[in-house]
């Protein structure tokens, strides 16, 4: 979605849900790469070697951590090359994350556009996309999990800038501009990010 569309959708959802906890976030434009999250699966032998720990209260990332521009490898994926194929792969990663409600991957790929929307008055990416997830039907979520992009339908705007219209998305469900919107991906800091 374009930033203004995302703003309209998220504001409507936040008003309906009355669950938007908006707060200012520090700019992290020059921040270094954040470390990747370790895998949650561990073998039984590895767990047996770990010393016993006392349960701690669950923690949530701070608002600044949620809006930080993530590193290209924080989802465990290798950075995408600065090619049309790389942009398509990255956008498909975003679509699949939408379908799985994977907020961390969604906010990584859409980081610049989400930051722009936050600057226009929305909360952090995690709050905005939590509302967006509620607006996607179960059938559409299932279809997004395996969606692909038709390379003939993308629009190359220049080196390092590609538009992904809703019509380029191939899935079991049909998505219109009002459902999904068109996204602009730009090649920034060694990977593709949604910027509008």
């Amino acid at each position: 979605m374009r930033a203004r569309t995302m703003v309209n959708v998220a504001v409507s959802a936040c008003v309906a849900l009355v669950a938007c906890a908006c707060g200012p976030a520090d700019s992290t434009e020059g921040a270094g790469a954040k470390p990747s999250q370790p895998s949650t699966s561990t073998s039984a032998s590895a767990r047996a070697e770990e010393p016993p720990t006392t349960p701690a209260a669950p923690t949530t990332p701070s608002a600044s951590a949620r809006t930080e521009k993530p590193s290209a490898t924080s989802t465990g994926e290798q950075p995408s090359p600065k090619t049309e194929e790389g942009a398509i792969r990255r956008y498909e990663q975003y679509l699949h994350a939408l379908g799985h409600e994977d907020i961390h991957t969604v906010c990584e790929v859409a980081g610049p556009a989400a930051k722009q929307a936050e600057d226009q008055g929305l909360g952090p990416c995690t709050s905005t996309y939590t509302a967006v997830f509620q607006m996607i039907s179960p059938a559409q979520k299932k279809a997004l999990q395996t969606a692909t992009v038709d390379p003939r339908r993308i629009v190359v705007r220049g080196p390092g800038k590609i538009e992904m219209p809703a019509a380029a998305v191939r899935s079991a469900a049909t998505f219109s501009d009002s459902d999904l919107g068109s996204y602009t991906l730009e090649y920034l800091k060694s990977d593709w990010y949604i910027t509008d």
Side-chain angles (χ1 to χ4, degrees), residues 64-98:
S64 61
R66 284 181 239 151
T67 58
E68 178 178 332
K69 185 179 278 186
S71 72
T73 59
S74 66
T75 61
E77 297 277 331
Q78 292 297 320
S80 302
K82 190 177 180 178
T83 62
E84 290 177 33
E85 293 80 14
I88 288 170
R89 185 182 96 189
R90 183 74 158 165
Y91 187 58
E92 287 174 349
Q93 178 186 12
Y94 168 79
L95 294 172
H96 299 166
L98 269 180

Side-chain angles (χ1 to χ4, degrees), residues 26 37 46 51 59-60 74 78 100 104 116-117 129 172 178:
D26 296 331
Q37 297 294 325
T59 59
T60 56
S74 66
Q78 292 297 320
H100 288 289
H104 299 293
Q116 182 182 1
Y129 271 100
S178 62

Side-chain angles (χ1 to χ4, degrees), residues 116-127:
Q116 182 182 1
E118 182 179 358
D119 291 345
Q120 294 174 5
L122 290 179
C125 181
T126 52
S127 296

Side-chain angles (χ1 to χ4, degrees), residues 137-152:
S137 75
Q140 288 175 322
K141 286 178 189 171
K142 185 171 177 67
L144 285 170
Q145 293 172 11
T146 56
T148 59
V149 173
D150 181 350
R152 296 169 296 174

Side-chain angles (χ1 to χ4, degrees), residues 11-44:
V11 168
S12 299
C14 288
V15 169
L17 296 175
V18 192
C20 181
C22 301
D26 296 331
S27 174
T28 56
E29 191 65 32
K34 72 178 187 181
S36 63
Q37 297 294 325
S39 173
T40 57
S41 63
T42 20
S43 67

